[in-house]
Amino acid sequence: MTAGRPSPTAALEALVLPAIDHIDLVTVKLPFVAPFGTSVHVWTDKEAMLMRLESDGVTAWSECVADPDPFYAYETNTTARHIIRDFLLPLVEPGITLGELETRFRHVRGHGMAKATVENALLILIAMQRGVALHELLGRPAKKIMSGLSIGLKETQAELLDAVERAVDRKYHRVKMKIRKGQDVDWVRAVRDRFPDVPLMVDANGDYTLSDLEHLRRLDEFDLMMVEQPLSYSDIIEHASFQRAMKTAICLDESIHSLADAAAAISIGACRVINVKQGRVGGLLESMRIAHYAASLGVDVWSGGMDETGIGRAVNIHLQTAEGFTLPGDTSETANYFDEDIVDPPVVLDAGGFIDIPKGPGIGAHVAPERVLKRTIRAERLR
Ligand code: OSB
Ligand code: MG
């Protein structure tokens, strides 16, 4: 598929898995500073399942990006726990390569968020054992990471305008606003009238059908960067009809679970942009493959977010050093979601709206055990 271009993941596939002394799953619950509203659900806190690996005195943490509910994706923290414990961890053996592990994982259909939790934990552990940053292990040089804010549905247009104003003041590189049926064209117009130049996009989380095409085409007048996932979470084909009828670029989020999905979507013109969430596509290696493939065809890719704690947020930051991540992602300041996170330092924007990669081995950010403990609602030692 990418004939003639070197694979971005060959060296990673050759990494050898270390022996692991302990494996824990720790579920934490952190209150959001404000509810996060979308067309599918309003979340008031982040419930995240963390994986903790201990190997020869080195501790590595990863974060499953699932929610407690199946409203964004079919996976939940509970299904991920089941798949990890009963099907994935038995396949993890010291001495095999990460490529071999991926091959074994393919026997389990879907469940990318569960797979990513394990793969990320192993990558972070290996990086820490080598004393290198995750992005270095991925073979990528450090750089400043672009920022982007995802603004949830608001009760009033005044609240929405306030949120956009705060984002502009903070120097975010682009602003995404959630839309849903009945809360779309007029709300976008209100933002555009007040902020004619802000790089702006919308995300419908699959709230529309092809019968809404005439209505949604009115978004073409607002010079949006893209419309994210207007149609069903499981559709690719109808998005191609939609894209043919719309000037504005379509971006797929929920529909893309793999490189094969991305290739299918691109080949039929279902999107001109892809939101890669490393958890949704099964981990960092598949994310890099998608971004590399898209770049070869001039399709823009950006890193989505799942309002992660500092662990998942840091993983998304390191991933964005990879080739093909051409646009600002849903990578915002910690303070946008949490008063107190479980890692230090928090993500902040510099004067130009950029994010510095946290320094240090692995994800760089330091997990504070006492804050994890304070937020723990369930903990289980698996090995
Ligand atoms: O559709 O991108 C989405 C959050 C939870 C579930 C789905 C989505 C989102 C976001 C927020 O838009 C992204 C973030 O700020 O991490
Ligand atoms: Mg989305």
Side-chain angles (χ1 to χ4, degrees), residues 38 72 150 176 178 201-206 228-229 251-254 275 277 280 302 304-306 330:
T38 71
Y72 164 75
S150 176
K176 153 169 148 181
K178 294 288 189 181
M201 58 173 289
V202 297
D203 185 0
N205 288 109
E228 184 177 343
Q229 198 72 36
C251 169
L252 289 179
D253 171 354
E254 283 91 328
N275 166 344
K277 291 185 182 167
R280 195 190 62 237
W302 50 277
M306 290 292 287
D330 277 342

Side-chain angles (χ1 to χ4, degrees), residues 150-207:
S150 176
I151 298 177
L153 294 169
K154 301 291 182 193
E155 298 278 314
T156 65
Q157 291 188 359
E159 280 176 78
L160 172 62
L161 291 171
D162 281 350
V164 177
E165 180 161 40
R166 280 196 298 277
V168 170
D169 288 347
R170 295 297 294 153
K171 300 280 194 297
Y172 274 101
H173 294 128
R174 66 102 169 108
V175 170
K176 153 169 148 181
M177 56 182 279
K178 294 288 189 181
I179 57 169
R180 66 170 167 189
K181 276 189 183 163
Q183 193 169 341
D184 45 41
V185 175
D186 295 341
W187 293 63
V188 174
R189 182 178 292 110
V191 172
R192 244 319 160 232
D193 283 351
R194 174 97 167 268
F195 304 95
D197 302 318
V198 70
L200 184 66
M201 58 173 289
V202 297
D203 185 0
N205 288 109
D207 207 34

Side-chain angles (χ1 to χ4, degrees), residues 43 46-49 63-70 72-81 113-114 117 279-280 306-308:
W43 285 277
K46 179 69 198 176
E47 188 183 306
M49 187 173 70
E63 173 173 348
C64 178
V65 304
D67 289 312
D69 53 75
Y72 164 75
Y74 69 86
E75 292 187 82
T76 69
N77 287 328
T78 306
T79 69
R81 171 176 164 269
M113 294 176 180
T117 308
R280 195 190 62 237
M306 290 292 287
D307 34 64
E308 290 94 339

Side-chain angles (χ1 to χ4, degrees), residues 361-382:
I363 60 171
H366 171 74
V367 179
E370 72 289 351
R371 287 197 231 150
V372 172
L373 201 61
K374 178 168 129 190
R375 305 294 186 188
T376 296
I377 58 170
R378 161 177 206 147
E380 177 181 19
R381 174 148 287 188
L382 299 179

